[in-house]
Amino acid sequence: MKKIILIFICTLSASLISAQGLTEYTASNNVTYHIGDTIKLGRGSTPNGDFIYCQMGDTYAVMAALGGSAGRIDQGLPRNLSGANMVIKKIKETTFKGAKLISFNVAGGDFVKYKILVEDALATGELKSNGYTKIGR
């Protein structure tokens, strides 16, 4: 029954949310990020150093929902990933009830994809504003 409700909620929310893929994004720090760029994580913003705005990605969310831990779909990354390099795989602009949110889907060398809520991560230091490299530019 819980899985049916979760599927219904996901379907309903998909009709309220629109997402658009971008090839580049100029953030509030005046850095233009592109797909393929390598970025560096800062320090997590929770008191114990875990991340809030750098989260487990879509693959993890599906596994968590199917495993019955749907309450932890937005799991923040652990503090041991501080300073890790991540490659931008997708840049998404999502609109929900008129509000826009930019997120990066990134990979850090393993099979798991991660999601970074860009502006919040920059504001809290979870994403280093000067810790990126441009690949092939």
Side-chain angles (χ1 to χ4, degrees):
M1 182 65 174
K2 288 182 182 181
K3 288 181 185 179
I4 293 172
I5 292 172
L6 180 63
I7 291 170
F8 175 75
I9 290 171
C10 289
T11 305
L12 179 63
S13 64
S15 66
L16 298 173
I17 299 172
S18 66
Q20 173 182 345
L22 304 174
T23 57
E24 66 179 31
Y25 172 67
T26 302
S28 60
N29 62 353
N30 293 320
V31 173
T32 300
Y33 298 93
H34 301 84
I35 294 173
D37 286 352
T38 300
I39 56 176
K40 184 178 280 289
L41 297 183
R43 183 180 187 280
S45 58
T46 64
N48 71 356
D50 287 342
F51 292 84
I52 295 174
Y53 304 109
C54 299
Q55 304 171 348
M56 296 294 187
D58 298 333
T59 304
Y60 178 81
V62 170
M63 289 188 305
L66 293 176
S69 59
R72 298 297 301 159
I73 287 176
D74 62 345
Q75 176 82 25
L77 297 181
R79 63 184 163 273
N80 66 335
L81 288 176
S82 293
N85 290 321
M86 301 282 174
V87 177
I88 300 173
K89 298 295 185 179
K90 290 183 185 176
I91 302 172
K92 289 184 180 179
E93 177 182 292
T94 305
T95 304
F96 179 69
K97 293 185 178 182
K100 289 187 180 184
L101 175 74
I102 301 293
S103 63
F104 293 160
N105 285 6
V106 299
D110 51 16
F111 72 93
V112 179
K113 300 289 189 265
Y114 306 106
K115 179 174 70 174
I116 298 175
L117 305 176
V118 179
E119 295 301 335
D120 292 323
L122 284 169
T124 59
E126 290 190 2
L127 176 60
K128 290 188 173 184
S129 62
N130 61 352
Y132 72 97
T133 58
K134 294 185 178 205
I135 305 299
R137 286 184 248 301

